[in-house]
Amino acid sequence: MIPTTSDPLAAAMIVADGIVVVDKPAGLTSHTVVARIRKLAGTRKVGHAGTLDPMATGVLVVGLNRATRLLGHLQLADKSYDATILLGASTSTDDREGEIVTTASAEALAEVTVEGIEAAVAGFRGEISQVPSKVSAIKVDGKRAYERVRAGEEVALKARSVTVSRYEVLDVRPGPAGIEVDISVDCSSGTYIRALARDLGTELGVGGHLTMLRRTRVGSFGMAAAHTLEELAESFSYLPIAEVAADTFPRYDADAEQAAAIRTGRPLPGLKLAAGQTAMFDPTGQFLALYEPHGPLAKPTAVFVS
């Protein structure tokens, strides 16, 4: 069950440990969204997983209180996006926020076909080597790449391996500014959709950049669970930490003696758990910790109660 309240002051009284799935609007940084959630939830302990650029919209997973620690244990590596690429021009940031650096001729664009786009897209499916966008948050000698670019520095980032499990072309629309291509992507964490836009344009020889980006899923959290900031201001709702843990990990219901040991993070001998992490609950249904097997013992990876 998702606790809700229409009174922002009352929110501080009911919000404990949980996850808020925010439908981030365009124009706001992820940091700004976190600040808004702090105010609405009445707590300083708020954090997020998977930063979205100001231009991007969609799913931003936010943790409240002790659930901020749970974020690092959740299975959030796989993500889904809907996006629009404009073929015919490349920009300094690989998206519409940057300055145009190259444009294609009308003749070059006329040679780009739907079949050609589909064939080029197919080459970016699977495990690929991708050079991140220069305005990414990757650190170069201790400083974010985008900070160096904005300071006028030249940035050369190394290619990295990412996985694009699904890359579909939804629509192709020729227009006066170029060719708009709507895409839908499932990919691993660390994949830059701006770089996919840039590389598709390069592959087709006409340049390309991202004009719209909407994240529709992070791990198991999709748009169906997401709320806009306006909706949260009217009626604040969140997923309790126990519900998230039970839905994400195998569950073990401890007896009173085991629960006492789990609360202090003691290993449990003779307890056979499945590989990976297991969510440990006490007899009342309170989520206590994450444990995993270590030979004949079950040991904690994170304890969430004292």
Side-chain angles (χ1 to χ4, degrees), residues 137-170:
I138 294 173
K139 286 189 176 181
V140 180
D141 296 330
K143 191 175 181 180
R144 302 287 184 186
Y146 65 80
E147 293 175 342
R148 292 186 177 277
V149 169
R150 289 169 183 169
E153 300 179 33
E154 270 298 320
V155 174
L157 298 177
K158 296 180 180 179
R160 54 177 59 187
S161 179
V162 298
T163 300
V164 180
S165 54
R166 184 176 65 92
Y167 188 171
E168 294 183 8
V169 176
L170 304 179

Side-chain angles (χ1 to χ4, degrees), residues 53-295:
D53 293 332
M55 185 189 89
T57 67
V59 173
L60 184 69
V61 180
V62 178
L64 306 174
N65 299 313
R66 287 176 179 171
T68 58
R69 294 177 52 228
L70 185 65
L71 290 176
H73 299 276
L74 296 176
Q75 300 164 0
L76 303 177
D78 295 326
K79 302 173 183 178
S80 298
Y81 297 89
D82 290 337
T84 299
I85 298 169
L86 181 64
L87 297 175
S90 61
T91 71
S92 58
T93 59
D94 302 327
D95 61 28
R96 71 178 188 220
E97 303 294 317
E99 297 180 0
I100 295 177
V101 293
T102 67
T103 56
S105 66
E107 292 76 17
L109 282 171
E111 295 181 3
V112 176
T113 63
V114 173
E115 293 76 17
I117 293 171
E118 292 277 8
V121 162
F124 294 105
R125 297 190 185 114
E127 187 173 337
I128 64 172
S129 180
Q130 183 185 74
V131 177
S133 173
K134 291 181 180 180
V135 290
S136 69
I138 294 173
K139 286 189 176 181
V140 180
D141 296 330
K143 191 175 181 180
R144 302 287 184 186
Y146 65 80
E147 293 175 342
R148 292 186 177 277
V149 169
R150 289 169 183 169
E153 300 179 33
E154 270 298 320
V155 174
L157 298 177
K158 296 180 180 179
R160 54 177 59 187
S161 179
V162 298
T163 300
V164 180
S165 54
R166 184 176 65 92
Y167 188 171
E168 294 183 8
V169 176
L170 304 179
D171 192 23
V172 177
R173 300 182 300 278
I179 301 172
E180 288 187 317
V181 182
D182 292 337
I183 62 170
S184 187
V185 175
D186 294 339
C187 58
S188 63
S189 183
T191 304
Y192 287 88
I193 309 301
R194 282 176 300 179
L196 288 179
R198 175 200 66 205
D199 294 343
L200 179 62
T202 300
E203 181 70 17
L204 293 168
V206 294
H209 65 275
L210 201 65
T211 60
M212 187 280 291
L213 180 63
R214 182 163 179 77
R215 188 159 66 192
T216 57
R217 181 182 62 86
V218 176
S220 62
F221 301 102
M223 291 304 306
H227 302 274
T228 66
L229 291 173
E230 290 77 15
E231 289 170 342
L232 290 169
E234 182 176 337
S235 180
F236 193 85
S237 62
Y238 65 102
L239 302 169
I241 190 172
E243 182 179 320
V244 174
D247 288 344
T248 305
F249 305 97
R251 174 176 179 145
Y252 180 82
D253 290 288
D255 59 30
E257 183 179 351
Q258 290 172 326
I262 292 168
R263 287 176 182 276
T264 56
R266 297 202 302 271
L268 298 176
L271 184 61
K272 294 183 179 180
L273 299 178
Q277 300 184 103
T278 294
M280 313 295 281
F281 290 79
D282 73 5
T284 69
Q286 183 183 24
F287 171 57
L288 302 177
L290 294 174
Y291 269 58
E292 61 184 9
H294 285 267

